Amino acid sequence: MIEIGRVNKLIVSRESSSGYYLKEESDSIDEIFMPPNLGPVNVTVNQELDVFVYLDTQGSLIATDQIPHALVGEYALMRVIEVQEFGAFFDWGIDKDLLVPGNEQKVKVRKFEDHIVRVCLEEETDRVFGTTKLGKYILESDFDIMKDDEVTIVPANKTDLGYRVIINKKFIGMIYDSEIFQDIQIGKEYSANVKKVRDDGLVDISLQVLGIRNMIDSKDVVLDYLARVGGQSPLNDKSSPDEIKRLLNMSKKTFKGSIGMLFKEKKILISKDGIKLL
């Protein structure tokens, strides 16, 4: 069954003067049109293609090999490119822009703003639309992730507490300022780890590897730092969190755990004057 708003694997059944027709199986009756400008450069009959399927303004199914930033049921950070009385059009990453109707805007959007948008399918019409009203979808999150899982995140906006992020395109969460030890760019992908899956449908995220793995990685950071500064540093477990963050990009808790492990392994000395390589 062809899924509207998603990527489908279809077969090129025939070519016409206006474009190509695709179907699920070679003996299927139903065909979907793919204009030449929405397909690959070289297309042959019986070729299998991964295509995104949507309805055009006339209600006809259209296929394209362009893949949007988010499929139905997914989130993405998108930019407003046009505002009309009935809604706003967002850059979706394909030739067709995504309409977010006025009644699906949490706050009235303005041109060139960036917003987290969830892609939705209207069941009655099969039309794909976007929404910035995320609350009910967050509450209904069906998690396939758990604590300590590695995920891909995209920071979407800065808040008083940290950064709101999109997780694996499926979930919304937060990285708190206390968990950030590097520069963060809005819209850039990062690898991160799940710190907590919350009952309210949100997810707490850490850019640092959690638990013992974090300590092991951080030990190497401390050793590399000591090697670079001549084998000795005034940093110790009494140093301020800001100083540790500035020099090592890690939390004080991680630093204390790491130097404790290095001390037990007899790789460093710890004194009131700082730490020193052995």
Side-chain angles (χ1 to χ4, degrees):
M1 180 179 177
I2 292 174
E3 295 184 283
I4 299 173
R6 298 186 183 276
V7 176
N8 297 258
K9 193 174 290 293
L10 302 180
I11 299 169
V12 181
S13 58
R14 61 188 175 95
E15 181 181 358
S16 72
S17 58
S18 55
Y20 303 92
Y21 289 87
L22 288 66
K23 57 175 63 175
E24 280 190 283
E25 304 289 344
S26 57
D27 58 352
S28 175
I29 299 175
D30 298 326
E31 292 182 316
I32 298 177
F33 182 62
M34 182 177 71
N37 64 315
L38 295 184
V41 176
N42 297 310
V43 179
T44 58
V45 174
N46 295 324
Q47 182 178 355
E48 193 173 67
L49 298 175
D50 289 323
V51 293
F52 178 72
V53 177
Y54 62 92
L55 292 181
D56 65 10
T57 52
Q58 281 74 46
S60 301
L61 287 174
I62 296 292
T64 175
D65 71 337
Q66 302 171 2
I67 308 301
H69 297 320
L71 307 177
V72 167
E74 295 182 339
Y75 301 94
L77 184 64
M78 302 186 199
R79 176 157 293 180
V80 182
I81 57 174
E82 185 181 349
V83 177
Q84 301 285 350
E85 287 186 10
F86 57 85
F89 290 94
F90 283 69
D91 180 1
W92 196 11
I94 60 176
D95 283 356
K96 177 181 172 61
D97 300 322
L98 181 67
L99 173 65
V100 176
N103 61 358
E104 289 293 341
Q105 298 174 24
K106 185 175 180 179
V107 296
K108 189 171 179 61
V109 304
R110 294 180 293 184
K111 194 172 182 180
F112 303 131
E113 288 181 339
D114 293 331
H115 293 269
I116 300 175
V117 177
R118 188 184 194 273
V119 182
C120 305
L121 182 68
E122 188 175 52
E123 294 183 2
E124 296 81 5
T125 64
D126 283 336
R127 293 194 181 279
V128 177
F129 68 95
T131 182
T132 61
K133 293 182 176 180
L134 310 181
K136 70 174 182 178
Y137 300 106
I138 291 173
L139 286 172
E140 295 170 358
S141 294
D142 184 12
F143 291 112
D144 59 3
I145 56 175
M146 60 180 60
K147 183 180 177 182
D148 295 339
D149 279 357
E150 186 173 327
V151 293
T152 298
I153 66 164
V154 175
N157 53 62
K158 183 72 173 72
T159 74
D160 293 339
L161 299 175
Y163 287 87
R164 201 177 198 199
V165 299
I166 301 167
I167 305 160
N168 289 353
K169 295 187 178 182
K170 294 181 178 181
F171 312 110
I172 302 298
M174 282 287 298
I175 303 179
Y176 297 98
D177 285 332
S178 59
E179 298 285 338
I180 297 173
F181 304 99
Q182 65 187 78
D183 291 333
I184 297 293
Q185 294 182 35
I186 299 293
K188 181 179 177 180
E189 282 193 356
Y190 295 86
S191 291
N193 292 87
V194 176
K195 188 173 182 182
K196 183 180 180 181
V197 176
R198 292 167 35 177
D199 293 336
D200 60 2
L202 295 171
V203 184
D204 291 343
I205 291 293
S206 174
L207 284 172
Q208 293 191 104
V209 178
L210 302 175
I212 190 67
R213 289 163 54 207
N214 181 34
M215 294 299 181
I216 292 171
D217 292 345
S218 298
K219 284 185 346 184
D220 292 335
V221 173
V222 173
L223 291 175
D224 288 344
Y225 164 71
L226 286 173
R228 283 188 284 107
V229 297
Q232 189 168 354
S233 168
L235 285 180
N236 61 18
D237 56 6
K238 302 299 183 184
S239 298
S240 72
D242 288 342
E243 183 73 357
I244 293 168
K245 179 178 179 179
R246 182 178 68 83
L247 295 174
L248 298 175
N249 285 331
M250 68 177 67
S251 67
K252 183 169 182 176
K253 179 180 178 181
T254 298
F255 172 71
K256 290 175 68 174
S258 300
I259 64 173
M261 293 172 70
L262 290 170
F263 178 76
K264 290 179 180 178
E265 294 169 4
K266 298 184 178 179
K267 292 182 178 178
I268 65 169
L269 284 176
I270 302 175
S271 69
K272 64 180 182 179
D273 297 320
I275 53 177
K276 182 179 180 180
L277 271 177
L278 286 178

